[in-house]
Amino acid sequence: MNALKLLIIKHEVLKTRIILNDQGEPVQAIARNSDIECNFLQASSEKELSELCQKEVERGFVLDSEPLMRVAIAGVGADMYYIWTIHHIISDG
């Protein structure tokens, strides 16, 4: 978790929000501080893990008021999976 916080501090794009300017046009804004959401999930099967991942994608983001990425650590039996959900706007070219 600390490694993710350090990445966010170092890379402004990971603190990006999209707000509307006075003309109603979307513009990039960099938050001064940004906490990352990290959830711990438990799944009973690979199928349930897949369903959890789909729910993360469908959940979407609020562009102007929340971090545009989040992580989850999911356990399936003895295996652990890292799920990184990121809005394409902060990763596109």
Side-chain angles (χ1 to χ4, degrees):
M1 192 61 197
N2 286 338
L4 284 172
K5 288 181 181 182
L6 290 173
L7 277 174
I8 292 169
I9 290 168
K10 184 173 181 171
H11 300 284
E12 287 185 336
V13 70
L14 299 178
K15 295 186 278 187
T16 294
R17 306 289 188 278
I18 303 300
I19 61 172
L20 298 179
N21 66 14
D22 294 337
Q23 290 77 36
E25 300 166 334
V27 294
Q28 180 183 15
I30 307 298
R32 291 179 196 253
N33 299 309
S34 187
D35 290 327
I36 186 164
E37 179 183 332
C38 183
N39 296 306
F40 297 92
L41 310 171
Q42 190 65 40
S44 59
S45 65
E46 296 287 331
K47 181 180 180 205
E48 186 179 352
L49 175 65
S50 179
E51 291 168 358
L52 290 172
C53 290
Q54 185 61 37
K55 285 180 183 177
E56 278 297 304
V57 170
E58 291 171 357
R59 189 172 142 199
F61 294 93
V62 179
L63 295 179
D64 63 350
S65 63
E66 68 181 18
L68 299 182
M69 71 174 196
R70 59 183 171 264
V71 297
I73 299 169
V76 180
D79 296 327
M80 300 298 288
Y81 296 88
Y82 181 76
I83 303 166
W84 184 17
T85 309
I86 186 168
H87 193 286
H88 71 90
I89 204 162
I90 63 173
S91 63
D92 287 352

